[in-house]
Amino acid sequence: MSSENLPQSPAQESRKPRVAVVFGGRSSEHAISVVTAGAVLRSIDREKYDVLPIGITTDGRWALTADEPDRMAIADRTLPSVENLAESTEGGVVLSVDPSSREVVYSEPGSVPKALGEVDVVFPMLHGPYGEDGTLQGLLELSGVPYVGSGVLASAVGQDKEYMKRVFLSFGLPVGPYEVIRPREWENDPSAARRKIVDFAGEHGWPLFVKPARGGSSMGITKVDDLSGLDAAIEEAQRHDPKILVESLLRGREIECGVLEFEDGPRASVPAEIPPVTAHDFYDFEAKYIDSAAGLVPAPLTEEQTAEVRRLAVEAFDAASCEGLVRADFFLLDSGEFVINEINTMPGFTPISMYPRMWQETGVSYPELVDRLIQAALRRPTGLR
């Protein structure tokens, strides 16, 4: 990549805030992160912000990428990747960890490193481990660079479904039955771990859902109808995370609600409903991103139910010390009770994603949503707060 093609530092006089959109990453949700970032890049107001796209490859290299959102979509069921968008196969982007400097540097083997100018805010469009789980947020805190979304603690809690549920329970929020199988349990005594799950099924019934404890986008989840499918389900979940979460089937409706940080605090969107997906056993990755299963926005709920789920969504946001945004997922049980399933501290922003659709219905357009998130990050200091 020749130096004349590198993004140039904006002139210091009349400089617009510079937004680094970081996407891709090392998790199994790499492709969805790319798709999400493409939608955000397409919607950022270029008259208001200067934009620097930075992709993280599947092996962890930070790369300058083309600012071409159309190349970041799912096309003919083919998922995009940072490797296909990177301007160079060797060059790397480095963000200083000196909080007195927000300078971004680009370097290639055998070349003099080139300063690309300062970054005012990072929009981390990363899903899953090594990005959404507090790791990137910790780097940005060390660097003193403001960023969109939750801080280190809330990001970590929001990624680890076990501790997320523990936090919610401690705040009195309703949570469904679950069991955890830690890596050491399965490695040292798989028979005992298997009995633990069977005992759980004996108490709560089959089927069970076996899933990665720190995963997302419905990857690695298996619905298990009986003991015969258990080992294969554990193997599939462990392809994404060595720690496994087992949940009982909750009979009811799937309801989602978005939370967004405004100047006066968090507010909840109108809720949405994920209807039963007839072509899939449950709302899995294929249904979400390939077959584009449609959600109902707003959800057909009573006024009382709508008010309750919005209240619970904001309570979950506050319980986990979240910032910026959250999508809270619930089950409305046949008994009429809401049970919180999980939160996503960086929910999908793809064109079919529920979070922006819910806010669109609430009166916040996609471009305004992106702008509000950037402005909230610029207002918020790094460090203890």
Side-chain angles (χ1 to χ4, degrees), residues 191-202:
S191 295
R194 198 178 292 110
R195 285 195 301 273
K196 184 177 176 181
I197 298 174
V198 170
D199 289 344
F200 178 80

Side-chain angles (χ1 to χ4, degrees), residues 67-186:
D67 188 2
E68 299 177 15
D70 290 344
R71 294 175 56 197
M72 302 168 73
I74 299 174
D76 298 324
R77 303 177 76 89
T78 299
L79 300 175
S81 70
V82 169
E83 282 79 357
N84 292 333
L85 294 163
E87 298 282 6
S88 165
T89 58
E90 294 183 313
V93 175
V94 177
L95 179 66
S96 172
V97 292
D98 179 358
S100 66
S101 171
R102 297 175 179 175
E103 191 83 12
V104 174
V105 175
Y106 177 84
S107 63
E108 284 188 345
S111 301
V112 176
K114 180 175 178 59
L116 302 182
E118 292 191 344
V119 166
D120 297 291
V121 62
V122 169
F123 206 134
M125 303 308 306
L126 293 150
H127 303 308
Y130 311 110
E132 190 183 351
D133 60 349
T135 50
L136 178 63
Q137 289 74 15
L139 171 64
L140 296 173
E141 292 286 352
L142 289 174
S143 301
V145 180
Y147 52 92
V148 170
S150 291
V152 175
L153 173 64
S155 297
V157 168
Q159 186 65 45
D160 191 313
K161 294 177 176 60
E162 175 194 358
Y163 288 97
M164 178 197 308
K165 292 175 186 292
R166 289 179 180 272
V167 168
F168 290 158
L169 284 169
S170 72
F171 276 83
L173 290 164
V175 171
Y178 72 95
E179 188 60 85
V180 176
I181 302 297
R182 302 182 186 283
R184 190 185 307 165
E185 292 180 79
W186 187 252

